[in-house]
Amino acid sequence: MKPAKEIRVGNIIMVDAKPFIVLRSDVNGSSRTGFTYKWKMKNLLTNAPLENVFRGDDKFDVVVLDKKPVTYSYFADPLYVFMDQEYNQYEIEEENLGEALNYLKDGMECEAVFYDGKAISVELPTTIARQIVYSEPAVKGNTSGNVLKDALIENAIEAKRFTVQVPLFVSQDDVIEIDTRTNEYKRIVRN
Amino acid sequence: MTQATSLALFCKVVDNYGDIGICWRFARQLAQEHGIAVTLWVDDLHTFQRICPEVQTGAALQQIGAIAVRHWSTQEGEFAPADIADIVIEFFGCEIPPGYIAAMAACEPRPVWLNLEGLSAEEWVEGCHALPSMHPRFSLTKHFFFPGFTEKTGGLLREAALEEERRQFQSDPAAMAAFLGQFGLTPQEIAARKVTLFCYPHAPVAQLFKAWEEGDEEIACLVPQGVAAQAVHAFLGQAANPGVMRRRGALSVRVLPFVPQQDYDKLLWASDLNFVRGEDSVVRAQWAGKPFIWHIYPQDENLHHKKLRAFLQRYAAGSASLDAFSLHWNGARPQGGAEAADWAALWADLRADITALTQHSIEWQRHMYTLGDLTTNLLKFSSSLR
């Protein structure tokens, strides 16, 4: 059993004996009782979408599914195609990719997650490095890291480019490390 | 759609009087105005007794007026479907006994199960209000119900007769003077600008007292016993017992006894400005039709500042003085404002706007009335689920 606050997008949970994939999780500040987790989910048996809200301490059975290392290969509208080391291809729907879409890059290494023999989502490594394709110019001498600005990061599909908050001293073309659990900047890998 | 006749309300007292204060108010309204048979499960009867003297602290089950009160002393226990109310409410996300939940799952039809959440003006509340929350193991669905300030939320607790009672009281100066007189207020205090002070211990009370003391306007500050104990004790120069009063400069501070909920309302109605704290009293302050300053319940990582700013955005939009005073009162910094609070200046600015703020509080009330009251809204929502 895992509490809601530890469940990530892409996880499969059992609710009333039915498997649901968590497609999106919005965490909201709440009263002193903690945070509220609003999830967009999909029933894996019926494909029916569902929006539910939970407390952080609500506990769920997380289904441990088969996983396999894959790399992102190409987009075959409307499906995203991943390939394993034996060149098997797996098509995954956009809505099942969740936040992995933010980091899509040709050859991106991740793990495909399988339910009942079908690839249903991917799990990213906790830390990922991506180049910044656009950001306002760096502020010389500002290394405080307290003030943040937007930085657009590279993505195999231009329309899916994602913005990360970075310190002012980070520049366009820098490669930065990002925590995929929180989408937060960690450090500069290469200037 | 069938009308519910019974309701179980589970209340865990975390600290202070807000939890049980809200639940008791809510329970009374359910019973008195809607004829619902309410069972109030509460884990702390001693705290409950402070706001409701009839409570027997040793009783496992007791009847107070129309409400059955159960001492919620354990998570153990087995329940049958017949024990389950038509509507089950967990207040502030408290965990109700597993045995009770199992019995809920055995009911046919299932009871309506609600998590009545805390008050927040943040935008995300609208997106979570009335959303389902499926139980991981049972065929049971709980729904989150949020009080709030917009039509996409559940509104605020408000008794049907409250507005008429307030109007009558405020239009009768003799009744107001008699009410204040029972606390020992002198004619000089009654004629002064009357301020009630209800806040958490970390409020900058001493600094505000100094500004008032050195100001050019007579201020009578009424403080319930135990509130801002350190600053009040320092000002009085003696123990802050009910009835103790001291005047220094333009400020008099008087300690009041702990009053029942109905008298607290009258205190708010009879004053010119109310400092309130937490959830219950901030709601009552809004129905008082008087300006108020909210001391919000503190949270880790200053999350409460975010909540306060969201509230001020809705309530105080356009009033820089109320905004600045409220933020500094809560240890937050207004955007572009000074880091250190100049309480004399903050008070002067607020005081200059008091008439406009009083008018605004009446307009705000009108807006809140259009949303209906939380109890009626909650029962309508419950009916839609049955």
Side-chain angles (χ1 to χ4, degrees):
Chain A
M1 298 290 275
K2 244 186 182 180
K5 60 189 167 200
E6 290 177 20
I7 287 170
R8 295 179 56 187
V9 167
N11 281 168
I12 315 298
I13 57 168
M14 297 305 287
V15 180
D16 191 21
K18 300 174 191 78
F20 285 86
I21 179 169
V22 179
L23 302 174
R24 180 181 166 146
S25 174
D26 292 318
V27 186
N28 296 298
S30 182
S31 58
R32 60 195 176 186
T33 54
F35 291 90
T36 301
Y37 291 74
K38 183 179 174 183
W39 289 347
K40 282 199 167 90
M41 306 187 289
K42 191 171 79 171
N43 183 324
L44 290 176
L45 303 178
T46 65
N47 276 339
L50 189 72
E51 196 172 51
N52 261 226
V53 61
F54 298 101
R55 291 182 325 223
D57 291 332
D58 288 341
K59 290 185 176 65
F60 297 87
D61 280 319
V62 177
V63 183
V64 179
L65 300 167
D66 293 333
K67 293 179 189 174
K68 187 185 276 190
V70 292
T71 55
Y72 173 64
S73 190
Y74 61 94
F75 178 51
D77 198 2
L79 299 168
Y80 293 80
V81 182
F82 293 78
M83 194 181 288
D84 68 12
Q85 287 160 336
E86 288 79 45
Y87 305 105
N88 298 307
Q89 295 191 353
Y90 305 101
E91 297 173 331
I92 301 177
E93 295 147 15
E94 181 173 305
E95 66 168 8
N96 285 7
L97 287 175
E99 293 188 335
L101 272 177
N102 299 338
Y103 304 102
L104 219 54
K105 186 179 174 182
D106 292 342
M108 174 178 85
E109 293 179 350
C110 52
E111 284 192 309
V113 179
F114 294 83
Y115 181 77
D116 213 14
K118 182 180 182 300
I120 53 159
S121 71
V122 297
E123 282 188 7
L124 294 173
T126 303
T127 302
I128 215 160
R130 288 291 178 268
Q131 186 168 34
I132 294 173
V133 294
Y134 178 76
S135 184
E136 293 296 326
V139 178
K140 202 172 176 182
N142 190 324
T143 56
S144 68
N146 293 334
V147 185
L148 300 172
K149 62 176 182 177
D150 288 347
L152 203 61
I153 60 168
E154 62 181 319
N155 193 304
I157 296 171
E158 203 167 323
K160 301 292 177 193
R161 280 180 176 170
F162 173 68
T163 299
V164 176
Q165 292 277 293
V166 298
L168 296 181
F169 57 82
V170 175
S171 309
Q172 188 168 310
D173 300 328
D174 285 352
V175 176
I176 58 168
E177 230 172 45
I178 302 161
D179 185 328
T180 59
R181 293 167 302 183
T182 58
N183 297 316
E184 284 174 350
Y185 163 90
K186 286 177 76 173
R187 64 186 184 96
I188 292 182
V189 179
R190 191 179 69 243
N191 288 104
Chain B
M1 199 163 89
T2 55
Q3 179 63 50
T5 59
S6 61
L7 181 146
L9 173 59
F10 286 83
C11 171
K12 189 173 190 302
V13 176
V14 177
D15 56 10
N16 305 316
Y17 303 100
D19 305 288
I20 187 59
I22 294 167
C23 287
W24 182 231
R25 208 183 279 288
F26 179 45
R28 288 205 319 267
Q29 194 185 359
L30 283 161
Q32 290 166 5
E33 295 179 20
H34 298 275
I36 305 282
V38 181
T39 301
L40 173 59
W41 293 73
V42 57
D43 67 337
D44 181 351
L45 294 173
H46 291 276
T47 300
F48 189 10
Q49 192 185 49
R50 289 296 307 276
I51 63 161
C52 177
E54 303 97 292
V55 170
Q56 304 291 318
T57 54
L61 171 63
Q62 57 196 302
Q63 193 75 22
I64 301 176
I67 295 152
V69 175
R70 279 187 176 275
H71 185 205
W72 180 16
S73 56
T74 175
Q75 287 293 83
E76 305 301 315
E78 292 198 3
F79 299 86
D83 300 325
I84 306 302
D86 297 334
I87 302 172
V88 179
I89 297 178
E90 56 187 43
F91 181 70
F92 266 22
C94 62
E95 279 191 48
I96 61 182
Y100 198 96
I101 295 172
M104 284 162 68
C107 287
E108 208 52 67
R110 300 280 191 275
V112 171
W113 183 10
L114 302 176
N115 171 21
L116 179 53
E117 266 292 345
L119 178 64
S120 175
E122 291 163 290
E123 270 184 41
W124 64 263
V125 166
E126 293 185 340
C128 290
H129 174 63
L131 274 191
S133 181
M134 289 168 69
H135 193 278
R137 289 171 303 286
F138 295 122
S139 279
L140 269 176
T141 300
K142 175 167 62 183
H143 287 78
F144 276 55
F145 197 90
F146 286 84
F149 305 97
T150 70
E151 59 193 8
K152 292 180 182 170
T153 65
L156 301 180
L157 271 179
R158 172 175 48 80
E159 298 82 356
L162 186 72
E163 178 57 11
E164 181 55 24
E165 286 170 14
R166 179 182 75 88
R167 200 192 54 74
Q168 279 187 17
F169 183 78
Q170 289 181 331
S171 60
D172 186 348
M176 280 205 282
F179 174 76
L180 294 171
Q182 72 180 349
F183 299 113
L185 268 76
T186 62
Q188 191 181 358
E189 285 173 277
I190 290 173
R193 186 185 294 282
K194 293 176 292 300
V195 177
T196 63
L197 180 63
F198 189 39
C199 58
Y200 295 111
H202 61 282
V205 174
Q207 295 93 312
L208 185 59
F209 278 3
K210 189 170 185 293
W212 281 344
E213 186 185 334
E214 295 170 356
D216 59 358
E217 182 191 34
E218 292 275 315
I219 291 180
C221 179
L222 310 175
V223 193
Q225 184 186 15
V227 172
Q230 215 175 339
V232 172
H233 181 274
F235 184 89
L236 297 172
Q238 60 175 298
N241 294 321
V244 173
M245 188 277 269
R246 185 176 179 193
R247 180 182 309 285
R248 271 175 29 190
L251 172 64
S252 68
V253 172
R254 177 177 290 277
V255 181
L256 303 186
F258 206 91
V259 294
Q261 287 180 327
Q262 294 87 332
D263 281 353
Y264 183 65
D265 278 332
K266 287 181 178 173
L267 203 55
L268 298 176
W269 300 344
S271 300
D272 304 301
L273 172 66
N274 296 304
F275 285 74
V276 290
R277 80 178 195 193
E279 185 170 327
D280 190 45
S281 60
V282 78
V283 171
R284 305 318 281 185
Q286 286 169 73
W287 302 133
K290 295 291 176 74
F292 64 89
I293 302 292
W294 188 18
H295 203 214
I296 192 165
Y297 188 87
Q299 288 177 262
D300 291 343
E301 296 173 15
N302 284 335
L303 272 177
H304 57 297
H305 288 172
K306 200 175 166 193
K307 287 177 76 167
L308 177 67
R309 287 179 202 276
F311 174 73
L312 291 171
Q313 185 68 35
R314 285 195 198 280
Y315 180 82
S319 173
S321 63
L322 180 60
D323 209 65
F325 196 104
S326 301
L327 288 166
H328 278 300
W329 185 244
N330 284 277
R333 190 173 151 193
Q335 210 168 7
E339 184 131 17
D342 175 349
W343 286 103
L346 287 164
W347 171 243
D349 290 347
L350 188 74
R351 184 180 146 192
D353 288 345
I354 284 282
T355 306
L357 289 170
T358 304
Q359 185 54 40
H360 171 72
S361 68
I362 291 163
E363 285 161 14
W364 175 258
Q365 252 189 13
R366 285 197 199 112
H367 156 69
M368 290 307 298
Y369 265 85
T370 64
L371 308 180
D373 71 277
L374 182 133
T375 305
T376 305
N377 292 340
L378 182 141
L379 290 174
K380 273 185 198 161
F381 177 65
S382 299
S383 293
S384 74
L385 298 174
R386 284 175 64 80

